[in-house]
Amino acid sequence: MNNKLANKRILVADDEPDVLQLVSTNLKNAGYNVLKAEDGLSALEQARQTSPALIVLDLMLPEMSGLEVCKVLKRETATNRIPVIMLTAKAEEVDRIVGLELGADDYMTKPFSPRELVLRVKSVLRRASHGTEVTDRLILGDIQIDRTRHEVTIASKVVEFTATEFKLLALLIERRGRVQDRETLLNDVWGYETVIDTRTVDTHIRRLREKLGKSGSYIETIRGFGYRVVENEP
């Protein structure tokens, strides 16, 4: 029973009492055990002590900003796997990108729909639980990747991919829902520690989409940043 409760524990950090109450109430009604924090330092301390299943983190917090809290959480071994949803009044693209760059799993701007927030929480938790599973087979819609046979099938038909294309596709599907910037992809797929040419990533993404056909729509371009695989059917 304790494990089930731990898996449903959500930490909500926001310095606006009305927002904190709104988010907490909706998450509680959805069956989650909610912890609250009104400043960044408190949020960080609670995250370290309780290891919540997910954190809803406001960007503008007193004592320590949400961005700084996220940076620390993703740097520490004990907390770097905790999913984070950024919640903020700032709608500028640069703030969204910075949050994602620091490791946030999703991003919502105020005002927001409480129902949508609950759905986002469920979606991120589902991705996180899948991400902890080590598997030789990845499935996304009609796409199936068999790592042991180094084989990709689309609608039950085998499609040939180069070793690099195979690795790139598997990585994107494994990290589905999470934005991957070009530099990260260069490092994780090609092994480049510094950016040699980000157009290499764009070229390979274009080839992936061509080979995937209709299923290529799963790969979403995040303008000026990178790519991610979405879970909704194209």
Side-chain angles (χ1 to χ4, degrees):
M1 184 67 176
N2 288 337
N3 287 336
K4 290 183 179 180
L5 288 175
N7 290 336
K8 299 180 72 174
R9 184 185 298 124
I10 308 293
L11 171 61
V12 181
D14 199 300
D15 63 331
E16 297 181 51
D18 291 346
V19 175
L20 189 60
Q21 185 61 39
L22 178 66
V23 174
S24 299
T25 299
N26 279 273
L27 288 174
K28 286 178 180 177
N29 289 341
Y32 296 104
N33 178 18
V34 180
L35 305 175
K36 300 178 184 179
E38 296 181 359
D39 63 76
L41 287 176
S42 175
L44 181 59
E45 189 60 29
Q46 287 198 62
R48 286 167 168 166
Q49 291 179 356
T50 66
S51 296
L54 180 143
I55 301 172
V56 178
L57 186 63
D58 185 43
L59 188 68
M60 302 299 290
L61 289 172
E63 305 297 334
M64 188 177 191
S65 74
L67 287 176
E68 188 62 29
V69 172
C70 185
K71 184 188 299 183
V72 174
L73 290 172
K74 295 301 179 180
R75 190 173 59 221
E76 297 182 357
T77 304
T79 57
N80 62 16
R81 291 185 178 275
I82 300 175
V84 174
I85 295 179
M86 286 286 189
L87 188 63
T88 178
K90 287 194 172 183
E92 290 84 354
E93 185 179 25
V94 64
D95 297 302
R96 175 175 62 83
I97 289 176
V98 169
L100 294 170
E101 203 168 27
L102 289 175
D105 297 81
D106 207 343
Y107 193 101
M108 291 190 69
T109 56
K110 302 173 185 176
F112 59 90
S113 160
R115 183 172 180 274
E116 182 184 358
L117 175 61
V118 172
L119 291 174
R120 296 268 193 109
V121 166
K122 290 179 178 178
S123 177
V124 172
L125 285 174
R126 185 170 62 250
R127 293 201 306 262
S129 66
H130 291 336
T132 59
E133 300 174 3
V134 177
T135 177
D136 291 324
R137 185 177 293 274
L138 296 170
I139 299 174
L140 179 69
D142 288 335
I143 307 170
Q144 293 194 39
I145 296 178
D146 189 329
R147 282 174 163 154
T148 58
R149 301 174 64 180
H150 210 272
E151 183 179 86
V152 178
T153 58
I154 303 171
S156 302
K157 180 181 179 181
V158 176
V159 178
E160 294 296 325
F161 286 83
T162 67
T164 300
E165 290 168 350
F166 183 91
K167 187 175 182 180
L168 177 60
L169 179 61
L171 183 147
L172 286 170
I173 292 179
E174 191 173 47
R175 300 177 183 176
R176 68 187 71 185
R178 298 193 62 177
V179 178
Q180 303 298 306
D181 64 81
R182 291 174 175 83
E183 288 76 13
T184 296
L185 292 173
L186 278 172
N187 186 56
D188 293 350
V189 176
W190 284 265
Y192 298 164
E193 293 184 359
T194 57
V195 178
I196 294 178
D197 188 350
T198 55
R199 287 176 298 180
T200 298
V201 176
D202 299 331
T203 299
H204 278 75
I205 291 291
R206 185 171 66 250
R207 290 175 183 167
L208 283 184
R209 284 174 170 152
E210 290 173 355
K211 292 186 176 182
L212 291 171
K214 178 184 175 182
S215 294
S217 299
Y218 279 112
I219 303 175
E220 180 183 33
T221 300
I222 307 301
R223 187 170 58 86
F225 191 70
Y227 302 93
R228 72 174 166 186
V229 161
V230 295
E231 294 184 285
N232 297 327
E233 292 186 8

